[in-house]
Amino acid sequence: MDDWIDYYDSTHTIYASRRHRDLHFEVIARDIIGYINSPDTVVLDYACGEALSAAKVAGACAMLILAEPAPGVRGRLIARFAPNTKIRVRSLDDLRNMQERSIDLVVMNSVVQYMTAEELDAALAVIKRLLKPTGRLVLGDILRPEIGMPTDVYALLRFAAL
Ligand SMILES: C[S@@+](CC[C@H](N)C(=O)[O-])C[C@H]1O[C@@H](n2cnc3c(N)ncnc32)[C@H](O)[C@@H]1O
């Protein structure tokens, strides 16, 4: 649904503070690096958001493709990572034209819950085409619909305590 893409393209308040936002992306980068088992790995971060720690991921692999549907976010990614020759920024549509079987690892973190069933099916078809036969898709942070605010608050407090 475009509503969520517009939301993530706006000046939203999903992070409690700058430190929360920075640590969020640091932890995600660390987790993605945990799935990289060779420096030759080509990684696609599908709907990556601001990906503030992407340079760390790029440092651990051969190439990092940051795919993001929100045009404003994508513009910032392009500006932020222009000097990094191991990072490419793409729209989700661009992914359809990429070479098939060219990606070793696809990460989709905290994205599926924003998609319709049809969007998810279409995304999985694109990803299946891009992945090498030995490639892996990692899905993370998928919220169950019944999760409410108290659970969310508790998760935030636990993260703050780390
Ligand atoms: C919570 S952010 C997650 C960003 C990043 N993956 C992370 O873990 O921080 C949700 C992401 O999903 C994207 N998004 C929202 N709706 C979408 C949709 N229908 N299809 C694909 N991506 C979508 C947003 O643009 C945003 O980048």
Side-chain angles (χ1 to χ4, degrees):
M1 284 197 321
D2 282 1
D3 286 358
W4 281 113
I5 296 174
D6 290 346
Y7 172 78
Y8 279 102
D9 220 20
S10 70
T11 316
H12 58 75
T13 53
I14 199 149
Y15 305 109
S17 65
R18 180 175 288 233
R19 180 164 162 73
H20 174 212
R21 183 198 65 183
D22 292 352
L23 286 175
H24 166 84
F25 285 108
E26 266 184 43
V27 170
I28 287 172
R30 192 192 63 199
D31 288 353
I32 295 175
I33 290 168
Y35 287 98
I36 297 175
N37 39 29
S38 143
D40 298 334
T41 305
V42 177
V43 180
L44 166 62
D45 190 347
Y46 191 105
C48 59
E50 297 286 345
L52 292 177
S53 296
K56 286 187 184 158
V57 179
C61 67
M63 177 72 66
L64 172 62
I65 296 144
L66 296 176
E68 172 53 45
V73 177
R74 208 165 55 241
R76 285 195 290 282
L77 292 169
I78 291 169
R80 186 175 302 130
F81 296 117
N84 193 324
T85 54
K86 288 168 86 177
I87 296 182
R88 304 265 187 280
V89 178
R90 299 286 182 258
S91 69
L92 299 188
D93 282 342
D94 292 336
L95 298 180
R96 297 173 186 277
N97 302 319
M98 282 176 50
Q99 199 189 329
E100 62 182 323
R101 300 180 170 205
S102 56
I103 310 278
D104 298 288
L105 174 65
V106 178
V107 176
M108 234 179 162
N109 189 64
S110 194
V111 178
V112 171
Q113 58 266 41
Y114 300 107
M115 301 174 121
T116 62
E118 293 74 23
E119 285 172 334
L120 178 58
D121 282 349
L124 291 176
V126 169
I127 289 167
K128 186 174 180 212
R129 187 185 155 273
L130 289 176
L131 273 176
K132 293 180 186 174
T134 52
R136 287 180 300 165
L137 166 63
V138 177
L139 295 168
D141 194 15
I142 303 176
L143 295 184
R144 294 198 306 272
E146 71 273 15
I147 296 260
M149 195 192 285
T151 315
D152 234 20
V153 170
Y154 179 62
L156 270 177
L157 291 173
R158 266 197 329 186
F159 186 64
L162 286 179

